[in-house]
Amino acid sequence: MSKLPSVVAMDGPAASGKSTIGELLAERLGYIYFDTGLMYRAVTWLALDRQTPVGDEAAVTALAETVDIDVLPPTVEDGRQSTVLVNGQDVTWALREPRINANVSPVAAYGGVRAAMVIQQQRVAARGHIVMVGRDIGTVVLPDAELKVFLVASAEERARRRWLEEQARGGRRTLDEVLAEIHRRDEIDSTRPIAPLRPAEDAIIVDSTGLKPGQVVEEILRKAGYST
Ligand code: CDP
């Protein structure tokens, strides 16, 4: 077994299992888990809260440059993976609302928003022993990460996972509506000019379709040469 990576970069499309797998892998390695998607969600939440049109790039960028986002270990035991404070306000569950899903990809496509978030992410990762999850972690945020994972799963399976999550929280959208949104977000995330979603050249690609979370973690460690 080779020396463990200090930093793991994990990327993949919407609902590809990054948060479940990332957290499990972090637990397995004894590392911190950090979900960068929360930061783009936090900026989107703030824009909607302030009634700033998400299409107004300059205004949204100004918000991203001044917002105070804190991602902390869970402060309440209600199933959350972390607690997110935006300017001191706990917005953890609000970040999962459909209105955020519907608006986050356009917000995350703005160069100024990304620049502001990436600086903070690099600062967090500099301490090491971290599994950082997102869309551009292996390509832009941490290009020198020792282990890069790109998680994929079929759009149908990803839509089903997201739909089940929504149903559990009382959501009313149909599976077809969720699938349409997954396709739309994949399209925006992969075709944007800045930091598009794509695997880094040295990433290992793992397909989680039909696999249980524990099996995916084993597959990652095996493919990367870390299993005993
Ligand atoms: O959980 P899900 O995969 O649906 O989304 P997420 O990981 O919370 O990310 C939400 C959105 O933020 C993505 O659709 C991307 O548009 C954006 N994002 C990004 O651009 N770069 C990242 N490193 C993380 C998220």
Side-chain angles (χ1 to χ4, degrees):
M1 179 158 161
S2 37
K3 189 174 158 288
L4 286 175
S6 162
V7 170
V8 180
M10 185 179 286
D11 295 296
S16 54
K18 300 180 303 290
S19 54
T20 307
I21 306 304
E23 188 169 41
L24 205 56
L25 181 62
E27 203 174 279
R28 180 79 191 268
L29 300 173
Y31 289 5
I32 286 167
Y33 163 75
F34 191 95
D35 178 359
T36 59
L38 293 174
M39 301 183 74
Y40 296 96
R41 287 174 181 270
V43 174
T44 307
W45 177 85
L46 186 61
L48 297 179
D49 187 63
R50 297 267 173 95
Q51 297 183 359
T52 303
V54 292
D56 184 341
E57 178 166 359
V60 173
T61 302
L63 287 180
E65 285 169 347
T66 49
V67 65
D68 185 9
I69 304 172
D70 268 323
V71 183
L72 311 168
T75 53
V76 184
E77 279 191 41
D78 58 0
R80 60 182 63 188
Q81 281 189 312
S82 40
T83 289
V84 187
L85 305 182
V86 171
N87 297 329
Q89 186 178 342
D90 185 342
V91 296
T92 308
W93 288 114
L95 298 188
R96 294 288 156 203
E97 287 170 6
R99 67 192 181 111
I100 305 293
N101 288 336
N103 288 289
V104 65
S105 288
V107 166
Y110 294 144
V113 170
R114 302 203 69 79
M117 299 300 114
V118 168
I119 290 175
Q120 299 188 37
Q121 292 158 12
Q122 289 172 333
R123 213 174 284 149
V124 171
R127 296 177 219 138
H129 289 178
I130 191 166
V131 176
M132 188 167 267
V133 166
R135 297 289 189 289
D136 59 339
I137 309 305
T139 50
V140 174
V141 181
L142 305 172
D144 298 327
E146 296 105 319
L147 174 57
K148 298 180 185 176
V149 181
F150 195 83
L151 267 189
V152 294
S154 70
E156 287 68 25
E157 170 132 348
R158 292 187 285 123
R160 201 175 49 81
R161 291 173 185 167
R162 197 41 51 93
W163 179 74
L164 286 172
E165 279 171 20
E166 284 191 14
Q167 293 284 305
R169 284 199 297 271
R172 300 220 189 103
R173 293 197 301 171
T174 65
L175 182 56
D176 276 349
E177 286 169 335
V178 176
L179 179 61
E181 185 185 271
I182 290 267
H183 280 308
R184 192 178 61 83
R185 285 182 50 206
D186 283 355
E187 169 74 13
I188 301 177
D189 290 348
S190 356
T191 57
R192 67 184 178 209
I194 306 162
L197 171 70
R198 62 173 175 80
E201 269 173 27
D202 49 350
I204 56 165
I205 299 186
V206 176
D207 188 337
S208 72
T209 312
L211 294 184
K212 296 205 180 79
Q215 295 174 306
V216 180
V217 169
E218 286 312 317
E219 177 76 355
I220 290 169
L221 293 173
R222 190 188 61 74
K223 273 195 171 174
Y226 290 111
S227 5
T228 41

